[in-house]
Amino acid sequence: MSAATSNLHVVLGSGPAGTALAAELAGRGRGVRLVNRSGEGEPLKGVERYAADVTTRDGALAAVAGAAVVYHCVNVAYQLQLDVLPRVQEALLAAVESAGARLVVLDTLYPYGETHGEVMTEDSPWRATSRKGKLRARLDEAYLAAHREVRVAVVLGRAADFVGPRVLNSTLGGAVFPPALMGGEVPALGDIGLRHSYTSIADVATGLATLGEHPEGDGRVWHLPTAPAVTTREIFAMIEERVGAPLTTVPLAEARPFGPFDEEFMNEYAEMFYQHTETQIMDSSDFERTFGVGPTPLARTLDDTLDWYRELIGQAPRS
């Protein structure tokens, strides 16, 4: 079966984004292969688990064989990104080109760098000065160049900080919801009175699946559906209302170890800490107008996230 007639959609990376996307695609009636190194993970209806190392050409070729669309949701620990992500790109572009498939890349806001409070749109300049921001910009340029050269049909979907079920390693994840539920300390990174965009992991999945179904959107960057930005303080207040108790917040004016954020992580995160000392607003209106897909209301995302964390830590669900 050729890529043009295949119903197989291959998701690379089984973190919260890849897992949510695989479930979304299966719900849309797609054949889904979810790839990670071990081939293991939570069972998902209609999803085939597959083991491959996509940092190698042979592994990437095996992973994407027979695919119509490939979704790159691979991520690695901060300290490994500069080494690993370019190798994934090199192997993946060659493999997807060989398969004749389209490539949908999950991306970050890092290429924009410090915005000094300017709203981020797809037309915003890429001004990253951090190592990880410049890396992402180089990778993105290479993906778009592969599209311009008609090697691979590529589209990039950018998201803000994740929030939602399965999201642990996020500034609105495992450091916030378990202590909120159990009376522990919650880190307040930078200035929580600034507006900050957070993208629901459900909207990441819906947005990427939508790009996978619309080749007319190829060859550019899109901002995935993201709820209107509010301050992190307002989000904390919404969480307090839902858990029925005030949060015990600990101000972190700079990157330092706290809770699940160990020293190694925070040392790497320090160059990205500007995200918490300036307003971070991502505008997804272009995607919403073009594809008719809007973001999940923040209140519903917080409800779903708290329910998931309650189950994770063994608390009774809310009545």
Side-chain angles (χ1 to χ4, degrees):
M1 181 181 293
S2 70
T5 57
S6 172
N7 188 46
L8 177 62
H9 287 226
V10 173
V11 180
L12 307 178
S14 63
T19 301
L21 173 58
E24 173 71 21
L25 291 167
R28 296 183 181 212
R30 304 297 182 181
V32 183
R33 178 188 299 153
L34 179 57
V35 180
N36 62 14
R37 283 177 177 265
S38 69
E40 299 175 351
E42 67 176 280
L44 298 171
K45 184 178 179 181
V47 176
E48 169 204 2
R49 291 275 182 175
Y50 190 88
D53 179 359
V54 297
T55 65
T56 69
R57 179 162 182 157
D58 287 347
L61 281 168
V64 308
V69 185
V70 176
Y71 302 83
H72 175 9
C73 298
V74 177
N75 200 9
V76 296
Y78 264 14
Q79 67 271 19
L80 302 177
Q81 289 186 3
L82 271 70
D83 174 55
V84 174
L85 292 183
R87 289 194 282 128
V88 171
Q89 179 180 70
E90 182 179 4
L92 187 54
L93 283 175
V96 175
E97 181 178 10
S98 177
R102 293 175 54 238
L103 178 60
V104 180
V105 179
L106 173 58
D107 196 18
T108 74
L109 301 180
Y110 292 179
Y112 299 129
E114 297 183 49
T115 64
H116 309 293
E118 295 175 9
V119 174
M120 286 172 275
T121 73
E122 291 89 339
D123 294 325
S124 295
W126 299 7
R127 299 178 292 201
T129 57
S130 67
R131 291 174 301 132
K132 285 177 279 294
K134 290 189 287 187
L135 167 70
R136 292 284 186 168
R138 289 195 302 271
L139 295 175
D140 289 356
E141 287 286 7
Y143 283 123
L144 294 172
H147 181 89
R148 291 192 300 269
E149 295 161 6
V150 200
R151 290 177 50 205
V152 180
V154 180
V155 62
L156 281 67
R158 285 184 176 159
D161 289 342
F162 294 166
V163 59
R166 301 188 185 91
V167 176
L168 296 168
N169 298 321
S170 169
T171 56
L172 201 56
V176 172
F177 293 100
L181 289 165
M182 297 188 293
E185 294 182 334
V186 174
L189 302 179
D191 185 351
I192 63 172
L194 299 172
R195 285 192 291 165
H196 192 106
S197 290
Y198 295 93
T199 305
S200 163
I201 203 67
D203 293 335
V204 171
T206 301
L208 293 176
T210 299
L211 293 177
E213 293 178 342
H214 288 273
E216 68 272 18
D218 290 352
R220 57 163 288 186
V221 171
W222 294 91
H223 284 181
L224 301 178
T226 297
V230 299
T231 70
T232 301
R233 179 176 287 115
E234 289 175 274
I235 292 176
F236 284 178
M238 294 172 73
I239 294 172
E240 289 174 334
E241 180 182 0
R242 284 158 173 76
V243 303
L247 300 187
T248 302
T249 57
V250 177
L252 267 64
E254 58 185 13
R256 62 177 175 83
F258 187 97
F261 300 138
D262 62 20
E263 183 174 7
E264 184 175 38
F265 173 84
M266 279 305 206
N267 285 342
E268 284 292 331
Y269 193 66
E271 67 174 0
M272 311 306 300
F273 202 78
Y274 67 84
Q275 297 173 106
H276 306 287
T277 59
E278 65 176 24
T279 299
Q280 286 265 298
I281 301 176
M282 172 179 153
D283 178 357
S284 60
S285 59
D286 195 8
F287 187 104
E288 296 170 40
R289 285 192 303 267
T290 301
F291 300 109
V293 178
T296 304
L298 180 58
R300 189 195 314 166
T301 296
L302 293 178
D303 288 340
D304 293 345
T305 305
L306 283 163
D307 282 348
W308 185 85
Y309 271 98
R310 285 188 180 99
E311 184 174 351
L312 181 70
I313 64 180
Q315 285 193 1
R318 60 194 172 93
S319 59

